[in-house]
Amino acid sequence: PGQGPFMAIAMPFVDGTTLDVYLSGQVACNARPLPVGECFSIVSAVAEFIVSGHRACGLVHGDLKPGNLMRNPTNREIYVIDLTLGSCYARKPVGWHQGTTPYMPPERLLFFDAPIWASTAWAGAMGDMWSLGVIMATVYLTGEQMLDIPEYMAVLGPGRR
């Protein structure tokens, strides 16, 4: 009370599975890559969420990955979940070091110890878009995590976590 506007995101209960669980089942059945139409519907649903959030209030998810995408098995709709790292960059920047490493943009890893000012509105929005690109490659090409973390970190240089 008395602290200014309050924002909430309301969504229905989805009795489904996360996209990473769904994809692991597809890989186990050798049913990869996903059909182009299914891949397109997944990526377009997440892109719509990202753009709507960015335009409405500067909402940055900050940790987009297949484990934070819920798939409704009945109608195959995709829901973006787990906004615990999310923020409205108009109010507070997303933590530069937050997120899941294989889905983080390289600049976030390169400047892992950068002061919080490095996380601008542009960086937050572009970070979500980078994550969506990695998700798209995961969904369409392999069904599995694309980046090998030790190798990815080695490319970024010594002293990086």
Side-chain angles (χ1 to χ4, degrees), residues 1-8 56-57 88 90-91:
Q3 296 179 357
F6 177 79
M7 182 177 63
C57 72
C88 278
R91 296 193 180 140

Short mmCIF file of all heavy atoms in Angstrom, two decimals, residues 1-8 56-57 88 90-91:
data_model
loop_
_atom_site.label_atom_id
_atom_site.label_comp_id
_atom_site.label_asym_id
_atom_site.label_seq_id
_atom_site.Cartn_x
_atom_site.Cartn_y
_atom_site.Cartn_z
N PRO A 1 0.82 -1.20 0.00
CA PRO A 1 0.00 0.00 0.00
C PRO A 1 0.86 1.26 0.00
O PRO A 1 1.83 1.35 0.75
CB PRO A 1 -0.83 -0.11 1.27
CG PRO A 1 -0.53 -1.43 1.89
CD PRO A 1 0.58 -2.04 1.13
N GLY A 2 0.49 2.20 -0.81
CA GLY A 2 1.19 3.47 -0.85
C GLY A 2 2.53 3.42 -1.54
O GLY A 2 3.29 4.37 -1.47
N GLN A 3 2.85 2.33 -2.24
CA GLN A 3 4.14 2.22 -2.90
C GLN A 3 4.04 2.38 -4.42
O GLN A 3 4.95 2.00 -5.13
CB GLN A 3 4.78 0.87 -2.57
CG GLN A 3 5.10 0.72 -1.11
CD GLN A 3 5.71 -0.65 -0.81
OE1 GLN A 3 5.84 -1.49 -1.67
NE2 GLN A 3 6.08 -0.84 0.45
N GLY A 4 2.97 2.88 -4.90
CA GLY A 4 2.83 3.09 -6.34
C GLY A 4 2.08 1.94 -7.00
O GLY A 4 1.51 1.09 -6.34
N PRO A 5 2.08 1.93 -8.34
CA PRO A 5 1.31 0.93 -9.08
C PRO A 5 1.83 -0.48 -8.83
O PRO A 5 3.01 -0.70 -8.59
CB PRO A 5 1.51 1.31 -10.53
CG PRO A 5 2.41 2.47 -10.58
CD PRO A 5 2.78 2.85 -9.19
N PHE A 6 0.91 -1.40 -8.88
CA PHE A 6 1.23 -2.81 -8.68
C PHE A 6 0.94 -3.54 -9.98
O PHE A 6 -0.06 -3.27 -10.65
CB PHE A 6 0.35 -3.37 -7.55
CG PHE A 6 0.54 -4.83 -7.32
CD1 PHE A 6 1.63 -5.30 -6.60
CD2 PHE A 6 -0.37 -5.75 -7.80
CE1 PHE A 6 1.81 -6.65 -6.38
CE2 PHE A 6 -0.21 -7.10 -7.58
CZ PHE A 6 0.89 -7.55 -6.87
N MET A 7 1.81 -4.45 -10.37
CA MET A 7 1.60 -5.19 -11.59
C MET A 7 1.57 -6.68 -11.27
O MET A 7 2.33 -7.16 -10.43
CB MET A 7 2.74 -4.93 -12.58
CG MET A 7 2.55 -5.65 -13.88
SD MET A 7 3.81 -5.31 -15.10
CE MET A 7 5.26 -5.95 -14.32
N ALA A 8 0.67 -7.40 -11.94
CA ALA A 8 0.59 -8.85 -11.77
C ALA A 8 0.29 -9.48 -13.12
O ALA A 8 -0.31 -8.84 -13.99
CB ALA A 8 -0.52 -9.19 -10.79
N ALA A 56 4.57 -3.36 -23.25
CA ALA A 56 3.61 -2.94 -22.23
C ALA A 56 4.26 -2.20 -21.08
O ALA A 56 3.78 -1.16 -20.65
CB ALA A 56 2.83 -4.15 -21.71
N CYS A 57 5.34 -2.75 -20.56
CA CYS A 57 5.93 -2.13 -19.37
C CYS A 57 7.42 -2.35 -19.27
O CYS A 57 8.00 -2.11 -18.23
CB CYS A 57 5.25 -2.66 -18.11
SG CYS A 57 5.69 -4.36 -17.75
N CYS A 88 10.68 -5.34 -14.59
CA CYS A 88 10.34 -4.25 -15.50
C CYS A 88 11.54 -3.33 -15.51
O CYS A 88 11.84 -2.70 -14.50
CB CYS A 88 9.09 -3.50 -15.05
SG CYS A 88 7.60 -4.34 -15.54
N ALA A 90 11.99 -0.61 -16.57
CA ALA A 90 11.70 0.78 -16.27
C ALA A 90 11.80 1.04 -14.77
O ALA A 90 12.03 2.15 -14.33
CB ALA A 90 10.29 1.14 -16.76
N ARG A 91 11.64 -0.02 -13.98
CA ARG A 91 11.67 0.11 -12.52
C ARG A 91 12.98 -0.37 -11.93
O ARG A 91 13.53 0.24 -11.04
CB ARG A 91 10.51 -0.67 -11.93
CG ARG A 91 9.20 -0.08 -12.36
CD ARG A 91 8.06 -0.62 -11.56
NE ARG A 91 6.84 0.00 -12.07
CZ ARG A 91 5.71 -0.60 -12.23
NH1 ARG A 91 5.59 -1.85 -11.91
NH2 ARG A 91 4.67 0.04 -12.70
#
